[in-house]
Amino acid sequence: MPSNTSAPPGKKTAKKKGRRARLLLLVLVLALVAGIGFGGYWGVSTVRASFPQTTGEIRLDQLSADVEVKRDANGIPQIYADDEADLFRAQGYVQAQDRFYEMDVRRHVTAGRLSEMFGESQVDTDAFLRTLGWRRVAQEEYDKVLSPETKKYLQAYAEGVNAYLKDRAPKDVSVEYAALALTNDYTIEPWTPVDSVAWLKAMAWDLRGNMQDEIDRSLMTSRLSAKQIKQLYPEYPYALHQPIVDKGAVDESTGAFDPKADATEGDGTTTGDTPGTGPGGSGGVSSQLGALSEVLDTVPALLGPNGNGIGSNSWVVSGRLTTSGKPLLANDPHLAPQLPSLWYQMGLHCRSVSATCRYDVAGYTFSGMPGVIIGHNDKIAWGLTNLGADVTDLYLEKIGPDGYLVDGKVKPFTSREETIKVAGGEDRKITVRSTGHGPLVSDRSSELETVGQKAPVGNAAPDRGTGYGVSLQWTALQPGKSMDAIFALDRAKDFTTFRAAAKNFEVPSQNLIYADTEGNIGYQSPGKIPQRTKGDGTLPAPGWDSSWKWKGYIPFEKLPYEENPKRGYIVTANQAVIDEKTYPDLLTKDWGYGSRSQRINDLIESKTKDGGKISPDDMRTMQTDNRSEIATLLNPLLLKIDISDPSVREAQKLLEGWDYTQEPDSAAAAYFNAVWRNVLKLAFGNKLPKELRAEGDCINVRPAEATGPVDEQNKLVRECGERDPDSAQPDGGDRWYEVVRPLLKQEKSEWWVTPGNRLDAPTETRDQLLAQAMKDARWELTAKLGKDVSTWSWGRLHQLTLKNQTLGTAGPGVVQKLLNRGPWNLGGGEAAVDATGWNAAGGYDVIWVPSMRMVVNVGDWDRSRWVNLTGASGHAFHSNYTDQTDAWAKGELYDWVYSKAAVEAAVKDTLVLKP
């Protein structure tokens, strides 16, 4: 739901850029170290200079009346005002107090201006971001689409931020600016409303759906057959993992979704669904898409690695199934770890709720953006998970000097010039070209300028000439009203007004769950989701043929929803929304595969059978469930393998009697996950093209273009992976569970066949490959954890380190100790409910986490509980920097105060903002 604020540029030419990035940061951090040692000045004065004032009084010129900011021991603010604009003005001021450096980095990302802060190393990243044009679209939204009321709130928020920045030197805003000042004459600019709107574009980018899968399928064609690729992308297992909505159908007479209708099974073909069609494939197209994938790795992933593995959990249970008799709602978005956390906890309260001051809401916000994203008001609660709709398509474009080809005619590009300012260097100018589908992303890499000679396109395709380009069509590149939706959600009072708010939540497309004080629960799938004339979005489409264009968007009224389902609960965890055989429109072909969602369903069913009731603590316990679903399939087979090597047999014994839980101190979990990683590598990873495998993963392979028997002219070559380890394949997510599930029933399969190398023996059967994986895992963990298996533990292997933005991602260890925190030894794992994600192709380190957890006790709000990954403060060494992390790691929650009385009882500091 990212390690990832200024991600290192990737691969080949980018490797040199990566070295330059590290050198720049090295200069900064060395200067910081030197400064810290200078009379203690940096260690005390500079660090503490940016700590916020949280008591007393502060004057803000724009306020119309006093505003109170009440903070508890965790530094979580509750803001009280008499006027809506004052409320958001104060929100801007307070978030800038705690998190402005984070806000500033984010807006430089969304505007493609990282080079202004961090120099030449970020030029190519900025160029790609400028090509996407997030900031331009955000400006258009603000100018032409958003409501006057929303713009009023955004302007008030910006005024609050700027009131904080006024008359403050950068070093007094955050210690990172003091470090930047040593190498860069950087000036903080005023905050603008568009800076806030643009953040939604970054959020949408990281939750964009199946774009990486679209690229990967095409890249696989250089090594695998169409049948093999289909095996690696199996159909969603509806029989095993129930979708979110298990009832309902589109009423043909009205065109609207009816959640009470009995679904009738169709022919399995959804609108625009021509499975597997499209010209993406090997040769030149693979070369282009491989380079595009490298470019994508350079884009800062603000939320997390994009792909199947990352997701979120949310569920809501009706009062008839709870101990309180009122609904309970849980949410924990899975995003990459950041320091500070992506989320900022806060309450926004009108002292007297009325028609002129309507907000009494608390929950999780984004610093840099007004309003509450996830939380509750006095009537309703809501949560979010990523729906995963396919809202991006790549188009191959036949381009020439004068334009691009469509239906035999050349159309001119839409072009613009962009200037990238570079700290310590000369300005760079780029030209951004767009086709009718969207920006020509292939312009952003020298490797994409010319394609190869074997693009697998049909006879009707135009002559490739100098090559095909690649353009991107994406719903977020069109102005939308998602910012309007945030405020409407914050003041919704019932399911009708909740759905009305959701209608404008266009990008990114999210699963919205709901509960209210009247005892109702519900679900809505909103979003701007395209309807395709041809194709199913799984492969790049031919841009030169207009019959492949989008024909519109699924009407909101047609999108699935439900209210008070008979089963008494609703679970969303990135699984399929509804069975595609009963729904007429294509939402995506690339759902999460439902391991987490089905586990949550099973836990709820188990708890409520025979009249049992679910308590708030049961909800918390479910959030920390760490059972490995793949272990239930694979472990029984591993125990049957006849192992003769006494050292490997010693490790195998760890799996005997294991209950499949992944506790931090579990030796069995450590060994099993190492075996799983090696099974994937042997069976699949070594058969994938280099563009999908992790950097440093080198194997001897036959050249992709080779034909006939291996001989001196066609011999094996050394080939190393090129993908960032966090996004390499096979990642071990629950898609791979479904790939392996049927294969485990087959003693012989082409996937079990491996040629072996100087360390591994060749394998031909399932059990031979499993035995080799067990051996490889034994020696891998011996190297990592020691020879004595009794000292092994999953937590020692599976660690989380929280890294401060930018300056905490590189440099000497002393600086990382100053700015970063950790490591924490964690339980949980990939596709577990407690989704402390790791990428099996890249290693065991934690790369995404439940970024926050909340359990809302609807109606009895003060009995709700929550926790953040880090803390309220973005200031290193502040007491609220990581004060919640230990509790988070243990699965504990804090009291979430809401009522005025509860807030007063918890207050530690009170600040009054005065006109």
Side-chain angles (χ1 to χ4, degrees), residues 60-67 81-87 89 159 351 913-915:
L60 265 67
D61 292 341
Q62 297 94 339
L63 290 177
S64 61
D66 288 1
V67 177
D82 296 322
D83 174 81
E84 291 178 350
D86 281 353
L87 195 62
R89 202 169 277 120
E159 289 170 359
R351 291 192 183 95
L913 303 177
K914 301 182 74 68

Side-chain angles (χ1 to χ4, degrees), residues 102-175:
E102 174 190 35
M103 293 163 58
D104 201 15
V105 170
R106 284 181 180 175
R107 70 167 164 177
H108 279 77
V109 170
T110 59
R113 296 174 57 194
L114 285 169
S115 301
E116 295 177 23
M117 296 185 80
F118 305 113
E120 189 174 348
S121 67
Q122 298 303 309
V123 168
D124 286 352
T125 299
D126 283 345
F128 188 75
L129 292 166
R130 297 285 185 97
T131 298
L132 294 179
W134 294 348
R135 171 77 186 202
R136 293 173 59 86
V137 180
Q139 184 71 58
E140 193 173 353
E141 285 183 359
Y142 185 80
D143 291 341
K144 301 178 181 179
V145 177
L146 296 178
S147 71
E149 182 177 67
T150 294
K151 291 198 277 191
K152 174 185 174 184
Y153 298 154
L154 288 164
Q155 184 60 47
Y157 182 90
E159 289 170 359
V161 174
N162 293 327
Y164 173 72
L165 295 175
K166 185 180 179 181
D167 299 328
R168 277 187 169 82
K171 68 182 178 62
D172 295 328
V173 174
S174 189
V175 69

